[in-house]
Amino acid sequence: MVTVNPDQDTVRRLRDGMARGVLSFPLTSFHDDGSLDPDGFRAHVAVQLAAAPGSLFPACGTGEFFSLDEDEYRQVVTIAVEEAAGRVPVVAGIGYGWAQAARFARIAEDAGADALLVLPHYLVAAPQDGLVAQLEQIAARTPLPLIAYQRGQVAFTVASLRRVAALPTVVGLKDGHSDLDRLQRLTLAAPEDFLFFNGAATAEIQARAYAAVGVPAYSSAVHAFAPEIANAFFAAVRDRDDKTTDRLLRDFYVPLVELRDRVPGYAVSLVKAAARLRGRRVGPVRAPLTDPSPADLDALATLLTAGLALVGAAQ
């Protein structure tokens, strides 16, 4: 068991990064045969870092954590840490039940990750006591700061969040439910220095709404294939440039969401396909995800061209 106070320098760097830029969730690169492509992933991470994200979150949902074995996970986190070289915090995804999450946590710690994002547990619904116990068990087994992720079957009540936030190394919450009433109650109940960020699918759609309840930071899947668009949108929201924000929402983000919603899993596979359209060496998705159909790929290419033109970026 581990007893440790949270790494305040890491928490400070995370907070500073969340205020400075979007949070990057890099794709995991695979060869056409489905095997891991470490060199492709390294090149992809380098492009992500060149676009100055606030933090780097490898091996999370967009990075197909659920499809990685432990050795592949080790390689992915190690490469992310090496490429980041201390410039931004590296927050690795962990998940499944607490015993497996603890194994991934040890691998991430050995690889040099700064913190961990605890992805929603697998398959089963659980009561509030169980959601809290899951984090208690993980926190007892790693000294790294933990960010809880509520989405799907994980949704904390105010009482449960208070218990979770009292754990010394639990430093934040990523929200993917978009229940702003509940989220506002959670932000008011949490300690003042607790970190919150918007983790909704295509978070930009709700960025202003989240900011209105005190959660301006967000993850950006678009950053994984078009950081020029993601950064332009972040700047527009930050500067309260509603004209630019509305134009990007209307002409790029809303059509992207409509395309994403056509097929389950497109929240990842469309992102990966868009990165390939930009010449990034990320490869296909792994089953059970599927790559976009030819018609949807054509629609994506047209939308990507239009989005880049909106911000004056080259294809």
Side-chain angles (χ1 to χ4, degrees), residues 20-264:
R20 185 178 63 249
V22 299
L23 309 178
S24 168
F25 284 66
L27 301 153
T28 298
S29 299
F30 299 121
H31 294 291
D32 288 342
D33 65 1
S35 61
L36 184 69
D37 179 2
D39 292 338
F41 179 68
R42 188 180 295 277
H44 173 59
V45 169
V47 171
Q48 290 290 283
L49 290 167
S55 299
L56 193 69
F57 287 70
C60 294
T62 305
E64 298 179 76
F65 166 79
F66 59 86
S67 76
L68 301 176
D69 66 27
E70 291 184 9
D71 181 63
E72 292 169 333
Y73 177 84
R74 185 187 309 276
Q75 292 183 66
V76 165
V77 178
T78 298
I79 289 169
V81 170
E82 289 174 350
E83 290 298 310
R87 289 176 287 171
V88 297
V90 175
V91 185
I94 61 172
Y96 306 113
W98 63 258
Q100 288 173 286
R103 288 175 64 91
F104 282 105
R106 287 191 290 273
I107 294 170
E109 182 184 352
D110 290 344
D114 297 291
L116 303 168
L117 178 66
V118 183
L119 301 169
H121 62 269
Y122 172 68
L123 188 62
V124 296
Q128 291 294 310
D129 284 348
L131 299 182
V132 175
Q134 165 88 336
L135 285 167
E136 288 174 338
Q137 293 288 348
I138 296 170
R141 288 165 173 80
T142 177
L144 293 180
L146 302 175
I147 298 171
Y149 187 3
Q150 64 169 18
R151 188 170 180 169
Q153 67 269 40
V154 178
F156 293 101
T157 64
V158 165
S160 294
L161 182 74
R162 287 191 176 116
R163 293 170 62 191
V164 165
L167 297 171
T169 54
V170 177
V171 301
L173 178 73
K174 177 181 179 182
D175 175 72
H177 284 294
S178 304
D179 181 340
L180 298 181
D181 180 288
R182 176 191 289 259
L183 183 59
Q184 181 71 92
R185 295 169 191 267
L186 295 178
T187 61
L188 293 172
E192 186 176 353
D193 59 349
F194 203 68
L195 304 176
F196 285 91
F197 65 95
N198 167 6
T202 315
E204 287 91 343
I205 290 288
Q206 300 181 68
R208 287 186 292 197
Y210 269 82
V213 297
V215 184
Y218 61 88
S219 57
S220 174
V222 171
H223 193 276
F225 65 87
E228 305 96 327
I229 300 173
N231 287 342
F233 184 86
F234 180 89
V237 172
R238 179 198 60 204
D239 299 340
R240 299 185 180 180
D241 179 353
D242 289 335
K243 182 178 179 180
T244 299
T245 300
D246 288 344
R247 184 172 68 251
L248 288 170
L249 286 172
R250 181 180 55 250
D251 296 338
F252 177 75
Y253 283 100
V254 169
L256 179 65
V257 168
E258 291 172 348
L259 183 58
R260 182 202 70 198
D261 289 346
R262 291 183 185 177
V263 177

Side-chain angles (χ1 to χ4, degrees), residues 272-294:
K272 214 164 199 184
R276 292 195 300 273
L277 289 171
R278 301 292 308 278
R280 309 295 182 237
R281 183 174 150 184
V282 296
V285 292
R286 277 182 172 173
L289 300 179
T290 59
D291 288 314
S293 68

